[in-house]
Amino acid sequence: CTAVQLTTDRACASLSNCTAVQYISTMDTLTSDRSCSAVTLSCSAGMFIAAAATLTSDLLCRLPTACLSSQYQAADWTVTSDRVCTAINTCITPLQFQTTAPTATSNRFCRNVTLCSSTQFQSVPSTATSDSLCSNCTACNATSYTFVACSATSNTVCRPSLCPPLSYVAAAGTPTSSPLCRNLTGQCQAAYQYESVSATLTSDRVCSNLTRCKGSEYLAVNATATSDAVCAACSACSTQQYFVSKCSVLADTVC
């Protein structure tokens, strides 16, 4: 025989056919047959089918996922599906509080803490499991003054107003002393003044001199007890007009 001749011919065999209750556990090659193994018919107790059997793979069974302490069971496992675990909500303190505690199968529920209005204060602060309580700020009456203003967490503190009529509190009192009182400035002189700032329980009135119109101005708006006069520039007649009366302190030019 020559170098390219063999002493025996090759032998070929048909591939094995796996049955309906088997799967190909080892694939065939050019020189080896496929291997067939029995399909697992069902998962053991406490396990679920993660993947069904195919022509080339067995039934895949797994233990259900165990939820962590930071999770709750959103959906229980079945014969064909895993348990679904979801992260438990976390309330954002101090902006939120817990209304419903989480369980093994339910989430935590949070609600926003009540925000007190500008005329209220927080009389009871919120906790991890309770809302805050708002109360209306006390308004001091006519015979008292605000010693401490209402704040976000405390009510108004009122003290008796000991200043007599026609006076104001120049310096607030203390818990152990009366306020410092000063007499109000007398009424503004109507002939040349107006009250630019009104008196309050804690401040004096302010009188300012009335504006006097210049020679080229007239009185556009009269002064009142609490407002200044308003002057405006005298108008000039156009070339298409003729002069009727000249501008004066009390009236504009009439053309």
Side-chain angles (χ1 to χ4, degrees):
C1 296
T2 65
V4 297
Q5 292 177 318
L6 299 174
T7 57
T8 59
D9 197 4
R10 66 170 59 90
C12 297
S14 297
L15 290 171
S16 299
N17 289 318
C18 298
T19 66
V21 291
Q22 292 178 319
Y23 69 98
I24 302 173
S25 54
T26 304
M27 294 298 293
D28 55 275
T29 69
L30 291 175
T31 59
S32 63
D33 194 9
R34 65 170 61 103
S35 297
C36 298
S37 299
V39 172
T40 303
L41 298 179
S42 62
C43 294
S44 303
M47 302 181 78
F48 72 97
I49 300 172
T54 68
L55 290 175
T56 58
S57 63
D58 193 12
L59 184 71
L60 178 61
C61 299
R62 285 181 180 167
L63 289 171
T65 298
C67 294
L68 303 174
S69 60
S70 60
Q71 299 175 318
Y72 72 96
Q73 178 182 280
D76 200 2
W77 70 281
T78 67
V79 176
T80 57
S81 63
D82 194 8
R83 174 182 288 115
V84 178
C85 298
T86 303
I88 295 173
N89 286 339
T90 300
C91 297
I92 304 170
T93 55
L95 302 177
Q96 296 178 320
F97 67 97
Q98 175 182 283
T99 57
T100 305
T103 67
T105 57
S106 64
N107 200 0
R108 172 185 287 114
F109 289 93
C110 305
R111 202 177 80 189
N112 290 337
V113 171
T114 298
L115 298 177
C116 301
S117 71
S118 59
T119 59
Q120 296 177 319
F121 69 98
Q122 190 181 76
S123 52
V124 178
S126 62
T127 68
T129 56
S130 65
D131 196 7
S132 59
L133 177 63
C134 298
S135 299
N136 291 330
C137 293
T138 298
C140 299
N141 59 31
T143 61
S144 63
Y145 68 97
T146 301
F147 180 70
V148 178
C150 189
S151 70
T153 56
S154 62
N155 196 10
T156 310
V157 178
C158 300
R159 289 286 184 269
S161 179
L162 303 179
C163 294
L166 303 180
S167 63
Y168 67 97
V169 178
T174 69
T176 57
S177 64
S178 60
L180 173 63
C181 301
R182 295 196 185 283
N183 292 332
L184 288 172
T185 298
Q187 294 294 328
C188 300
Q189 301 300 312
Y192 58 89
Q193 292 179 322
Y194 71 98
E195 189 175 272
S196 54
V197 179
S198 299
T200 68
L201 291 175
T202 58
S203 63
D204 195 8
R205 70 167 51 89
V206 176
C207 296
S208 298
N209 290 332
L210 290 172
T211 297
R212 298 298 182 184
C213 297
K214 300 174 183 177
S216 60
E217 297 176 328
Y218 70 96
L219 184 65
V221 179
N222 289 325
T224 68
T226 56
S227 64
D228 195 9
V230 177
C231 299
C234 293
S235 300
C237 296
S238 70
T239 57
Q240 304 299 318
Q241 297 175 317
Y242 66 92
F243 178 77
V244 175
S245 61
K246 67 178 182 178
C247 183
S248 66
V249 174
L250 300 177
D252 192 12
T253 306
V254 178
C255 297

